[in-house]
Amino acid sequence: MAQVIAAAVYANGRKVSDIRLDEGAEWAAREGHFVWIGLHDPGREELLSLQRQFQLHPLAIEDALLQHTRPKLETFGDALFMVVYSPIRRDGELVFIETQLFAGKGYVISARYGDSPSYAAVRQRCEAQPQMLVHGEDYVLHSLLGFVIENYRPLLDDYHAQLEDMEQRVLNQPLSQADVEAVQGMRRSLSRLRRYLAPLGEICQELQRLDFPFIDKHMRPYFRNVAIHIQRMLEDLTAMREMADYVIEIGLLLEASRQSLTQRKFAAWAAILAFPTALTGIYGMNFHFMPELGWEYGYFGVLGIIALGCGGLYANFKRLNWL
């Protein structure tokens, strides 16, 4: 069921009053005023009502009703329609919650779907800064975008900490199947974060160039600042993706090294045992009495030769650090 989180009118950087949803167009038409409407899970009826009031473009409403499109910015005359996504974790899974933004002269409308963080905190922050809110619709739009970007940073920090722990663990013990699956899951999540975050940078770049009556040229540096934050997070995502690849690579190299060491040990012991095995095979099975010496001297001589041979092989293997 649709819920109106807040609907208010502002002038000169301050809140004038709360309004009903059907009063928005009347207030938006007043000089120096703009309305800010926040909706949660709006249905078709609410969106069509807003379309009639603010003359929203049919294509924008069509996209809004379809939902689940890519992050994007579309312009319709002097109005714009934007789709952005906030990441959350739900039962350990990464989920992206859609928010649709409609903005034009005299209004900003946000429609949030699902359980992403509420934009009530953005409204409180803006109302606490009347010297900035006086800019109007463009400052609200900037604040909403900035809030969406802020939702990405805790997830990036969390994935970075997990990768650092995994990198340290792989140096101390072999990679298990669970470890490999965890790293692969993080790589997949990082790719999804990048797919939803990268278009937001393009949106901010576009907002710097748009010549709209409700976007003041003095606000363009603020959109550039958001774009810079997005670029830094994209660089962090790239670094973490490489870090995840290195964890797998290091794990494979260490495992190959451990297997090689085990094989060398087996080869060393096989070489040590080969000499006495050959002697006992020749002398123990083919002769009842030793032909070269009496049996007493023969057997003790063979044992001495075996001991000398084993001692020499062991010393050489120890020197080569094979044992």
Side-chain angles (χ1 to χ4, degrees):
M1 181 177 178
Q3 181 181 2
V4 180
I5 301 300
V9 59
Y10 298 85
N12 299 318
R14 298 189 181 277
K15 180 178 177 180
V16 176
S17 68
D18 293 318
I19 60 173
R20 298 194 312 270
L21 200 59
D22 57 3
E23 297 176 326
E26 178 186 347
W27 282 100
R30 297 188 183 186
E31 185 66 28
H33 292 68
F34 76 93
V35 297
W36 181 0
I37 298 173
L39 304 175
H40 186 209
D41 290 328
R44 181 183 183 87
E45 182 179 344
E46 289 79 15
L47 290 175
L48 292 178
S49 172
L50 292 172
Q51 180 188 17
R52 289 190 295 268
Q53 285 191 68
F54 298 100
Q55 303 301 309
L56 303 179
H57 198 279
L59 290 178
I61 296 299
E62 182 180 338
D63 282 349
L65 291 172
L66 288 174
Q67 299 182 38
H68 308 302
T69 59
R70 290 185 70 254
K72 64 178 181 178
L73 167 65
E74 293 186 355
T75 59
F76 302 99
D78 290 338
L80 62 82
F81 171 66
M82 195 183 311
V83 179
V84 296
Y85 287 86
S86 297
I88 63 170
R89 275 223 184 95
R90 182 186 296 161
D91 299 328
E93 293 293 326
L94 185 61
V95 180
F96 292 86
I97 305 300
E98 181 174 349
T99 295
Q100 300 162 355
L101 300 175
F102 302 87
K105 181 62 176 175
Y107 67 90
V108 176
I109 303 168
S110 66
R112 176 171 60 94
Y113 298 85
D115 299 325
S116 65
S118 171
Y119 294 106
V122 182
R123 190 181 293 267
Q124 294 171 3
R125 194 183 307 169
C126 291
E127 291 177 354
Q129 296 179 304
Q131 73 279 8
M132 296 301 300
L133 190 56
V134 73
H135 288 283
E137 305 91 330
D138 48 4
Y139 179 69
V140 172
L141 203 59
H142 159 266
S143 300
L144 290 170
L145 280 174
F147 183 73
V148 170
I149 303 307
E150 289 174 7
N151 294 327
Y152 284 82
R153 176 50 65 183
L155 283 172
L156 266 63
D157 292 341
D158 184 45
Y159 281 126
H160 188 268
Q162 290 183 49
L163 284 170
E164 283 188 332
D165 291 341
M166 187 69 71
E167 189 177 44
Q168 187 61 40
R169 188 160 67 247
V170 77
L171 295 175
N172 300 323
Q173 63 186 35
L175 274 177
S176 65
Q177 181 176 347
D179 292 332
V180 175
E181 291 175 355
V183 174
Q184 180 58 29
M186 280 188 278
R187 292 177 75 254
R188 184 168 56 252
S189 296
L190 293 173
S191 295
R192 293 185 65 204
L193 284 168
R194 185 181 186 87
R195 187 166 67 250
Y196 283 96
L197 183 60
L200 295 181
E202 299 172 3
I203 288 172
C204 290
Q205 295 287 351
E206 186 67 20
L207 288 172
Q208 295 176 56
R209 296 190 291 266
L210 287 176
D211 185 17
F212 275 9
F214 64 92
I215 297 182
D216 193 286
K217 64 179 180 180
H218 299 295
M219 282 301 300
R220 291 176 181 175
Y222 290 88
F223 291 114
R224 182 168 63 249
N225 184 58
V226 176
I228 291 172
H229 284 295
I230 294 172
Q231 184 59 39
R232 288 173 180 170
M233 282 193 281
L234 290 174
E235 292 171 359
D236 290 343
L237 281 171
T238 300
M240 284 189 284
R241 180 64 183 253
E242 293 175 353
M243 191 175 178
D245 292 339
Y246 292 153
V247 168
I248 297 294
E249 184 178 348
I250 291 170
L252 292 175
L253 289 174
L254 289 176
E255 184 61 27
S257 176
R258 294 186 188 102
Q259 291 179 1
S260 178
L261 179 60
T262 302
Q263 291 171 355
R264 290 202 302 270
K265 288 183 177 181
F266 278 125
W269 284 110
I272 291 173
L273 296 175
F275 183 68
T277 300
L279 287 178
T280 53
I282 294 172
Y283 286 98
M285 297 180 63
N286 296 333
F287 297 97
H288 182 67
F289 297 105
M290 303 296 289
E292 294 87 349
L293 303 170
W295 69 270
E296 301 91 345
Y297 297 104
Y299 279 119
F300 282 116
V302 170
L303 291 175
I305 293 170
I306 292 173
L308 289 173
C310 290
L313 288 172
Y314 182 82
N316 284 328
F317 289 138
K318 198 70 175 175
R319 179 175 58 82
L320 294 172
N321 199 26
W322 286 5
L323 295 175

